[in-house]
Amino acid sequence: MDTTGNSSSLSTYLNPEEDDEHDTKERVLLRYFLQEWALVKSILDRIVANDGATIPSDVNKIRFVIDKYQEQGQLLEPYLESIVNPLMSLVHSKSMQLRVDTDDVLDIIKPICIIIYSLVTVCGYKSVIRFFPHQVSDFEIAVTLLEKCHIGNSLTSLRQESTGEMETKCVTLLWLYILVLIPFDISSVDTSIVNSNQLGGLEPSPLVIKILEISKDHLSSSGPMRRFSGLVLSRLLTRPDMSMAFVRPSYA
C-alpha cells in the first residue's frame, strides 16, 4: 500500500508552517491563534488569580497577539466571551471600590481596559460589548468610573494613551452605551438623591447630568472618545424619560 500521501498529510499536520504558503491567510492566522491561545489563557488566568493585578509585559503580550489579527477579527470572536467576561468582571468589582481608594483601583483597571480596548479595535465594539455586565445596578458604577477617569483629564493625550486612561474612558463609555438602553428609572439607582422629591418633574437626575457633561467634553476631543461619547448621548437623549434634557439650556 502506498502511504506517501498519508505521510505527507501527517507531516503537514505536525509541521503546519511548512504548508503556510499553500494555505489561505485566514486559515494560517487561525492555526497560529490556536497555538497562541494557550499563552493568552494562561495570562488571563494569572490576572484573575491576582485579583486584577497585572504586569506590563503580560498586557503587552496579549495586545501583541490580538493586534496581529487586525484584518481578521472574526477569528477571535469565538474566544471573546472567555476573554471579556473575566476582565469586565474585574473592572466591575474594582469600580465598586473607587470611592474608597481611587488611585490604586484605577491603576488596576487601566491595564485591564487596555486589553479590552484592543479587542474593540480588532473585533469591533458591537461584538465586544455583548459580554459586558448589564444589570441596572451597574449604571451608577459605570458612571462613577467614567467620572473618576474624567478628573484626570488635564493629562496630555500621549500620557493618556501610555497609561491606559484613553482606553479606560472608551471601555466605560461603551459600557454605558449598553446600560442606557435598559428600561428603568435612572433616578431610582442614583444614590446621590436622598429623596426622590428633590427632582422636579422630568428634570434629569445627577447621574444623567454627569454623563451629559462628561460626554460633551469628550465630543470636543479627537479619536474614539468622540465617537463613543456620541453613541452614549444618542442613546441617552432618546430615552422616553429624557425629554426635558433637550430643553435644558445647559445641555441643548
Side-chain angles (χ1 to χ4, degrees), residues 180-201:
V180 294
L181 263 193
I182 303 174
F184 69 101
D185 181 1
I186 293 179
S187 62
S188 68
V189 297
D190 193 337
T191 57
S192 66
I193 303 175
V194 179
N195 189 326
S196 60
N197 292 330
Q198 287 180 285
L199 295 181

Side-chain angles (χ1 to χ4, degrees), residues 30-31 57 60 63 65 81 90 94 105 108 121 153 163 166 175 177 184 190 197 213 247:
L30 177 59
R31 182 183 300 140
S57 60
N60 289 334
R63 287 183 68 185
V65 171
E81 184 173 6
L90 286 169
K94 293 301 174 183
V105 172
I108 293 175
T121 61
N153 203 34
T163 61
M166 182 274 290
W175 192 9
Y177 173 65
F184 69 101
D190 193 337
N197 292 330
E213 291 176 343
V247 298

